[in-house]
Amino acid sequence: MKKDKNILFTVNLLSIKDLQSVRSMDASSGFQVEQWLEDNSEYAWGIFKNGTDELIGYCTIGYADDVGDTIERHPEHTNDSLLLSDVYIDPQFRNKGYGIKLITEVIHNRWELDGDRNTVYLIAMYDKLKYFYEKIGFKPINDSEGKFHGAMVLSC
């Protein structure tokens, strides 16, 4: 992983002022993070280039409810468990450490807001993403048949 040494970044909650940038990123990513901006201000986060308004990536983190049996039957799942989703980094900024920084800061910021280190789950959309998330500390969850269907857990 090579990093851009001259590019600084900040991780912040997204707000309605970021709407245009989020819409543009939604069009590229296929996600719908825009819907989180008005109603759930603690759930949508972005990483911004040079501390400006230039959004280079985003993700959401909310409660892990209605996410399927593999996660809901996991022994560490509680009503306060979290689900990381909609992770996207603009292609020109990938493989430079920004995704890892975004995810780790968002999880830690969310734990701080909640006042608790709740278990975090995610569903990796592609098998190759499993290795990326393992770098952060997530572990695959196998279903009752021992198959990996993308569900992963970050235990505290």
Side-chain angles (χ1 to χ4, degrees), residues 3-116:
K3 294 187 178 192
D4 290 336
K5 294 180 181 176
N6 297 325
I7 298 177
L8 302 176
F9 59 89
T10 56
V11 174
N12 293 311
L13 282 165
L14 292 172
S15 71
I16 204 70
K17 74 175 181 58
D18 303 309
L19 186 59
Q20 269 318 104
S21 297
V22 169
R23 279 185 180 154
S24 176
M25 201 159 278
D26 280 352
S28 297
S29 69
F31 297 131
Q32 297 176 344
V33 173
E34 175 185 347
Q35 71 185 4
W36 292 81
L37 295 185
E38 291 181 24
D39 299 329
N40 301 299
S41 61
E42 294 179 359
Y43 301 135
W45 295 79
I47 185 166
F48 297 86
K49 182 178 175 185
N50 292 333
T52 67
D53 291 338
E54 185 179 347
L55 185 67
I56 67 167
Y58 61 36
C59 69
T60 59
I61 189 166
Y63 291 106
D65 52 3
D66 297 324
V67 290
D69 289 343
T70 303
I71 291 175
E72 291 180 0
R73 291 184 184 163
H74 188 264
E76 295 178 46
H77 184 271
T78 69
N79 289 338
D80 295 324
S81 293
L82 300 169
L83 181 72
L84 179 74
S85 58
D86 305 321
V87 177
Y88 182 79
I89 298 291
D90 187 290
Q92 69 181 356
F93 294 100
R94 291 181 186 166
N95 301 311
K96 297 178 182 178
Y98 299 117
I100 290 173
K101 188 67 175 168
L102 171 66
I103 292 167
T104 56
E105 283 196 30
V106 164
I107 290 170
H108 288 283
N109 288 342
R110 184 55 196 260
W111 285 342
E112 193 172 297
L113 284 170
D114 290 348
D116 201 358

